[in-house]
PDB file of all heavy atoms in Angstrom:
ATOM      1  N   ASN A   8     -77.586  57.032 -31.364  1.00 71.00           N
ATOM      2  CA  ASN A   8     -78.308  57.362 -32.597  1.00 71.00           C
ATOM      3  C   ASN A   8     -77.843  58.676 -33.211  1.00 71.00           C
ATOM      4  O   ASN A   8     -77.679  58.777 -34.420  1.00 71.00           O
ATOM      5  CB  ASN A   8     -79.816  57.422 -32.328  1.00 71.00           C
ATOM      6  CG  ASN A   8     -80.620  57.481 -33.618  1.00 71.00           C
ATOM      7  OD1 ASN A   8     -80.490  56.592 -34.449  1.00 71.00           O
ATOM      8  ND2 ASN A   8     -81.409  58.515 -33.787  1.00 71.00           N
ATOM      9  N   GLY A   9     -77.609  59.715 -32.343  1.00 77.00           N
ATOM     10  CA  GLY A   9     -77.139  60.979 -32.879  1.00 77.00           C
ATOM     11  C   GLY A   9     -75.793  60.850 -33.531  1.00 77.00           C
ATOM     12  O   GLY A   9     -75.548  61.402 -34.611  1.00 77.00           O
ATOM     13  N   ASP A  10     -74.865  60.155 -32.872  1.00 94.00           N
ATOM     14  CA  ASP A  10     -73.551  59.920 -33.442  1.00 94.00           C
ATOM     15  C   ASP A  10     -73.678  59.127 -34.744  1.00 94.00           C
ATOM     16  O   ASP A  10     -72.955  59.406 -35.712  1.00 94.00           O
ATOM     17  CB  ASP A  10     -72.675  59.136 -32.459  1.00 94.00           C
ATOM     18  CG  ASP A  10     -72.338  59.950 -31.209  1.00 94.00           C
ATOM     19  OD1 ASP A  10     -72.406  61.199 -31.277  1.00 94.00           O
ATOM     20  OD2 ASP A  10     -72.021  59.345 -30.172  1.00 94.00           O
ATOM     21  N   TYR A  11     -74.539  58.146 -34.751  1.00 97.00           N
ATOM     22  CA  TYR A  11     -74.721  57.307 -35.936  1.00 97.00           C
ATOM     23  C   TYR A  11     -75.145  58.128 -37.123  1.00 97.00           C
ATOM     24  O   TYR A  11     -74.577  58.023 -38.215  1.00 97.00           O
ATOM     25  CB  TYR A  11     -75.762  56.224 -35.644  1.00 97.00           C
ATOM     26  CG  TYR A  11     -76.231  55.479 -36.884  1.00 97.00           C
ATOM     27  CD1 TYR A  11     -75.421  54.565 -37.526  1.00 97.00           C
ATOM     28  CD2 TYR A  11     -77.507  55.716 -37.397  1.00 97.00           C
ATOM     29  CE1 TYR A  11     -75.853  53.887 -38.667  1.00 97.00           C
ATOM     30  CE2 TYR A  11     -77.956  55.047 -38.533  1.00 97.00           C
ATOM     31  CZ  TYR A  11     -77.125  54.137 -39.166  1.00 97.00           C
ATOM     32  OH  TYR A  11     -77.553  53.463 -40.286  1.00 97.00           O
ATOM     33  N   GLN A  12     -76.161  58.971 -36.963  1.00 97.00           N
ATOM     34  CA  GLN A  12     -76.640  59.790 -38.076  1.00 97.00           C
ATOM     35  C   GLN A  12     -75.562  60.749 -38.566  1.00 97.00           C
ATOM     36  O   GLN A  12     -75.391  60.944 -39.777  1.00 97.00           O
ATOM     37  CB  GLN A  12     -77.885  60.568 -37.658  1.00 97.00           C
ATOM     38  CG  GLN A  12     -79.111  59.697 -37.374  1.00 97.00           C
ATOM     39  CD  GLN A  12     -79.594  58.920 -38.591  1.00 97.00           C
ATOM     40  OE1 GLN A  12     -79.283  59.264 -39.729  1.00 97.00           O
ATOM     41  NE2 GLN A  12     -80.347  57.858 -38.363  1.00 97.00           N
ATOM     42  N   ALA A  13     -74.835  61.336 -37.643  1.00 96.00           N
ATOM     43  CA  ALA A  13     -73.756  62.251 -38.042  1.00 96.00           C
ATOM     44  C   ALA A  13     -72.636  61.515 -38.753  1.00 96.00           C
ATOM     45  O   ALA A  13     -72.128  61.978 -39.792  1.00 96.00           O
ATOM     46  CB  ALA A  13     -73.208  62.977 -36.793  1.00 96.00           C
ATOM     47  N   ASP A  14     -72.252  60.363 -38.218  1.00 97.00           N
ATOM     48  CA  ASP A  14     -71.197  59.572 -38.845  1.00 97.00           C
ATOM     49  C   ASP A  14     -71.639  59.063 -40.208  1.00 97.00           C
ATOM     50  O   ASP A  14     -70.856  59.059 -41.176  1.00 97.00           O
ATOM     51  CB  ASP A  14     -70.809  58.402 -37.951  1.00 97.00           C
ATOM     52  CG  ASP A  14     -70.042  58.812 -36.716  1.00 97.00           C
ATOM     53  OD1 ASP A  14     -69.629  59.978 -36.656  1.00 97.00           O
ATOM     54  OD2 ASP A  14     -69.874  57.978 -35.801  1.00 97.00           O
ATOM     55  N   LEU A  15     -72.884  58.631 -40.300  1.00 98.00           N
ATOM     56  CA  LEU A  15     -73.398  58.120 -41.573  1.00 98.00           C
ATOM     57  C   LEU A  15     -73.388  59.202 -42.628  1.00 98.00           C
ATOM     58  O   LEU A  15     -72.975  58.960 -43.785  1.00 98.00           O
ATOM     59  CB  LEU A  15     -74.814  57.568 -41.382  1.00 98.00           C
ATOM     60  CG  LEU A  15     -75.479  57.015 -42.655  1.00 98.00           C
ATOM     61  CD1 LEU A  15     -74.704  55.833 -43.212  1.00 98.00           C
ATOM     62  CD2 LEU A  15     -76.922  56.592 -42.346  1.00 98.00           C
ATOM     63  N   ARG A  16     -73.819  60.406 -42.264  1.00 97.00           N
ATOM     64  CA  ARG A  16     -73.829  61.505 -43.247  1.00 97.00           C
ATOM     65  C   ARG A  16     -72.422  61.778 -43.775  1.00 97.00           C
ATOM     66  O   ARG A  16     -72.221  61.965 -44.970  1.00 97.00           O
ATOM     67  CB  ARG A  16     -74.424  62.768 -42.613  1.00 97.00           C
ATOM     68  CG  ARG A  16     -74.376  63.973 -43.542  1.00 97.00           C
ATOM     69  CD  ARG A  16     -75.074  65.186 -42.963  1.00 97.00           C
ATOM     70  NE  ARG A  16     -74.846  66.381 -43.795  1.00 97.00           N
ATOM     71  CZ  ARG A  16     -75.457  66.621 -44.942  1.00 97.00           C
ATOM     72  NH1 ARG A  16     -76.345  65.785 -45.418  1.00 97.00           N
ATOM     73  NH2 ARG A  16     -75.184  67.727 -45.609  1.00 97.00           N
ATOM     74  N   LYS A  17     -71.430  61.822 -42.892  1.00 97.00           N
ATOM     75  CA  LYS A  17     -70.055  62.048 -43.323  1.00 97.00           C
ATOM     76  C   LYS A  17     -69.584  60.954 -44.289  1.00 97.00           C
ATOM     77  O   LYS A  17     -68.933  61.253 -45.297  1.00 97.00           O
ATOM     78  CB  LYS A  17     -69.130  62.106 -42.108  1.00 97.00           C
ATOM     79  CG  LYS A  17     -69.349  63.308 -41.216  1.00 97.00           C
ATOM     80  CD  LYS A  17     -68.484  63.226 -39.966  1.00 97.00           C
ATOM     81  CE  LYS A  17     -68.756  64.397 -39.029  1.00 97.00           C
ATOM     82  NZ  LYS A  17     -67.953  64.276 -37.769  1.00 97.00           N
TER      83      LYS A  17
END
Side-chain angles (χ1 to χ4, degrees):
N8 191 57
D10 293 338
Y11 168 73
Q12 294 297 340
D14 289 348
L15 179 62
R16 176 175 171 78
K17 292 175 183 177

